[in-house]
Amino acid sequence: MAPIQLWVILIGFIFALIIQMLAANLGVSTGKHLSELCKAEYPKFVKYCLWLLAEFAVISADIPEVIRTAFALKILFHISIWTGVLITGLNILLLLGLQKYGIRKLELVLLVMILVIVVCFFGEMGYIKPPAGDVIKGLFVPKLSGQGAVGNAIALLGALIMPHNLFLHSALVLSRKVLGSVRGISDACRYYLMESGFTLVVAFLINIAIISASGTLCSANNISDETANQCNNLTLDSAPFLLKNVLGRSSSTIYVIALLASGQSSTITNIYSGQFIMQGFLDLKMEKWIRNLMTRCIAITPSLIVSIVGGSKGAAQLIIISSMVLSFELPFAPIPLLKFSGSTSKMGPHKNSIYIMVISWILGVALTGFNMYYLITAFVGWLIHNKLPKIANVFVGIIVFSLMLVYVLAILYLTFRKDTAVTFIEPITLDHPVVQNNMEHGLSNSCEVVEADRIPYREDLAEIQLPE
């Protein structure tokens, strides 16, 4: 078993559920998404720094999708990883072209492909029957053991939470018509909580099934030498053997389909996240194909270099590094979100309850402390064991520790800075069934009780070609 991933997945699930709920509530209650509120609240220098960090998070999230697609192409066509990386540059244009047939249809196809691998791993889990006691222990007993355990845990948290998704969730809710009353906003917040909760629970169960099945298979006492070697050198292109008990010779084909579907599904998320970030921070709308081709080219560059130099192992390691970068960037999206969603000037009566605030800040501080612990211990260990001259170590140490200090000061600034911008608009206090029905169907209101323009519905966001 692999208890480290299980309890980290549980922590990541809880934190992701809370902050995605807060992001949706922020959008519904204020009529603005997170990047727009950051633009309104922070000075110009801070605003541009947050924008660059958000864009870098999108690129960091795109690198694993490039590599996953490249591994899938390698398994399917027996080509090199670096060739697959180059092909993924054209993949983004194909994806954008397919969207004209309807994003919902495209997402449905991707969902079906992902569900295939989900069913397979649950079938594998039923075949292997991992010990329930070990699974429960792995979920609720935190344990860090083995070389690189802390780094892997940080990378997993970054991959699970993904800071740029907060900008996406706070904006997507604005593409839907919601009654601008206290009850209407509260009902919408409740609905988005159920929607996000269902999605995250499914993802949580999928991760548990995959890790439990693979962990049990690789830690069994009676495994063959071939299986032991595969477990010790497990990469994305060797993982299909985990499904052979259920799928036999079809395991590679089904695995490739799921790998491609996973990559394209995440690419869609990155497309919309990047567009919202650019629109919110800079009030700039770039042609979607230009923006995403640019982002993909930036993501391809390190992936191509690493895959040429390090091959499959190097590319797989780059996924972990990019996920770690996401984890280190994590404070710069949730901290503004927690500040805004707990502010009366931003949320009015819909601000966080004291219980949500306490839980959210505890998790946020713990994750930030976890990151700092890893950074300091890993760098100090490198300083002690590297073979550079002493003078070089001194200069490197000064530079790196200065950057760490800037990192900590930036987090403290965002945490303790007093909000000044007032963006909350008093909601309509009267509910009327006719108005509710008209708003739900996108009709103008013939009733004079409530004005139709007092709903947090954004025509400018609808023009970004959101799912209909």
Side-chain angles (χ1 to χ4, degrees):
M1 287 296 294
I4 171 177
Q5 289 94 338
L6 293 181
W7 70 264
V8 171
I9 286 174
L10 179 61
I11 296 295
F13 161 73
I14 295 172
F15 194 52
L17 177 61
I18 292 175
I19 61 177
Q20 285 189 21
M21 173 194 70
L22 297 181
N25 292 357
L26 184 73
V28 173
S29 302
T30 64
K32 296 180 181 293
H33 52 83
L34 181 58
S35 56
E36 290 177 321
L37 290 172
C38 288
K39 177 185 177 183
E41 178 62 44
Y42 294 113
K44 184 177 291 186
F45 175 75
V46 177
K47 176 189 72 173
Y48 284 125
C49 288
L50 291 175
W51 168 66
L52 289 174
L53 286 169
E55 292 286 3
F56 196 60
V58 174
I59 295 170
S60 298
D62 208 36
I63 288 175
E65 315 318 329
V66 169
I67 296 175
R68 288 191 192 109
T69 303
F71 270 106
L73 294 174
K74 176 187 176 183
I75 297 171
L76 195 60
F77 300 111
H78 304 288
I79 59 177
S80 62
I81 288 293
W82 69 267
T83 304
V85 169
L86 286 176
I87 294 174
T88 58
L90 302 176
N91 168 58
I92 187 68
L93 297 178
L94 175 63
L95 183 63
L96 292 171
L98 291 174
Q99 288 186 33
K100 68 180 181 179
Y101 297 104
I103 188 67
R104 287 299 189 197
K105 294 178 183 178
L106 180 60
E107 287 181 333
L108 180 61
V109 172
L110 296 174
L111 178 62
V112 169
M113 290 191 290
I114 292 174
L115 285 177
V116 170
I117 199 69
V118 172
V119 171
C120 293
F121 265 107
F122 271 104
E124 183 76 9
M125 190 176 178
Y127 180 89
I128 296 176
K129 295 181 175 60
D134 287 345
V135 174
I136 299 298
K137 183 179 179 181
L139 279 171
F140 297 104
V141 180
K143 183 179 180 181
L144 291 172
S145 59
Q147 186 176 5
V150 177
N152 290 333
I154 289 174
L156 190 53
L157 285 171
L160 288 170
I161 300 173
M162 291 194 175
H164 62 286
N165 273 353
L166 300 183
F167 298 98
L168 174 68
H169 283 280
S170 64
L172 283 178
V173 295
L174 299 176
S175 67
R176 303 172 183 176
K177 290 182 170 65
V178 175
L179 180 61
S181 64
V182 174
R183 193 185 73 183
I185 292 175
S186 298
D187 289 345
C189 291
R190 192 179 306 111
Y191 168 74
Y192 293 131
L193 172 60
M194 292 187 292
E195 185 180 52
S196 297
F198 175 77
T199 304
L200 289 171
V201 166
V202 171
F204 174 71
L205 294 176
I206 291 171
N207 284 315
I208 294 299
I210 292 174
I211 292 176
S212 298
S214 57
T216 303
L217 178 64
C218 290
S219 61
N221 295 323
N222 56 348
I223 59 174
S224 64
D225 292 337
E226 179 183 0
T227 301
N229 290 331
Q230 288 174 317
C231 289
N232 291 330
N233 300 284
L234 189 59
T235 60
L236 284 175
D237 55 348
S238 64
F241 87 93
L242 296 171
L243 296 172
K244 283 187 176 180
N245 290 320
V246 175
L247 299 175
R249 294 181 179 179
S250 302
S251 60
S252 293
T253 303
I254 300 297
Y255 177 78
V256 167
I257 291 174
L259 208 57
L260 286 171
S262 174
Q264 306 323 302
S265 179
S266 297
T267 298
I268 292 174
T269 299
N270 294 337
I271 286 173
Y272 290 124
S273 297
Q275 193 71 6
F276 291 136
I277 289 168
M278 182 172 289
Q279 181 268 337
F281 278 107
L282 306 180
D283 198 21
L284 176 65
K285 293 180 184 178
M286 184 184 292
E287 286 290 335
K288 191 161 58 174
W289 71 271
I290 296 176
R291 182 205 145 67
N292 290 287
L293 181 61
M294 180 177 65
T295 303
R296 179 53 61 95
C297 288
I298 296 174
I300 281 176
T301 302
S303 305
L304 183 62
I305 294 173
V306 171
S307 60
I308 292 175
V309 175
S312 298
K313 288 187 177 181
Q317 188 65 28
L318 185 59
I319 293 180
I320 297 177
I321 294 173
S322 62
S323 297
M324 290 175 67
V325 170
L326 284 173
S327 184
F328 293 129
E329 287 193 44
L330 192 56
F332 299 102
I335 289 178
L337 173 63
L338 291 175
K339 292 287 293 295
F340 297 159
S341 57
S343 170
T344 304
S345 64
K346 300 291 191 300
M347 298 282 287
H350 305 287
K351 70 175 185 178
N352 289 352
S353 69
I354 186 64
Y355 304 107
I356 293 295
M357 290 180 65
V358 170
I359 294 173
S360 302
W361 280 108
I362 288 175
L363 287 173
V365 170
L367 293 180
T368 303
F370 198 41
N371 287 344
M372 290 306 303
Y373 167 79
Y374 175 76
L375 276 176
I376 294 172
T377 55
F379 181 67
V380 170
W382 179 84
L383 280 179
I384 294 174
H385 296 100
N386 76 73
K387 297 180 180 180
L388 292 175
K390 289 185 178 180
I391 187 66
N393 275 338
V394 171
F395 280 112
V396 171
I398 291 173
I399 293 172
V400 173
F401 281 115
S402 297
L403 292 175
M404 289 184 186
L405 179 61
V406 171
Y407 179 81
V408 172
L409 291 177
I411 293 174
L412 293 176
Y413 170 82
L414 292 176
T415 302
F416 294 104
R417 179 186 182 274
K418 186 177 180 180
D419 291 350
T420 57
V422 178
T423 59
F424 177 70
I425 301 175
E426 278 296 328
I428 301 162
T429 56
L430 295 176
D431 293 333
H432 195 285
V434 175
V435 177
Q436 175 74 47
N437 183 69
N438 287 344
M439 287 186 178
E440 287 176 352
H441 293 84
L443 303 175
S444 60
N445 293 319
S446 58
C447 179
E448 297 181 356
V449 176
V450 186
E451 297 178 1
D453 61 354
R454 297 296 300 279
I455 56 174
Y457 173 67
R458 297 284 300 281
E459 293 288 351
D460 61 319
L461 296 185
E463 293 173 1
I464 299 181
Q465 301 181 24
L466 293 170
E468 297 178 357

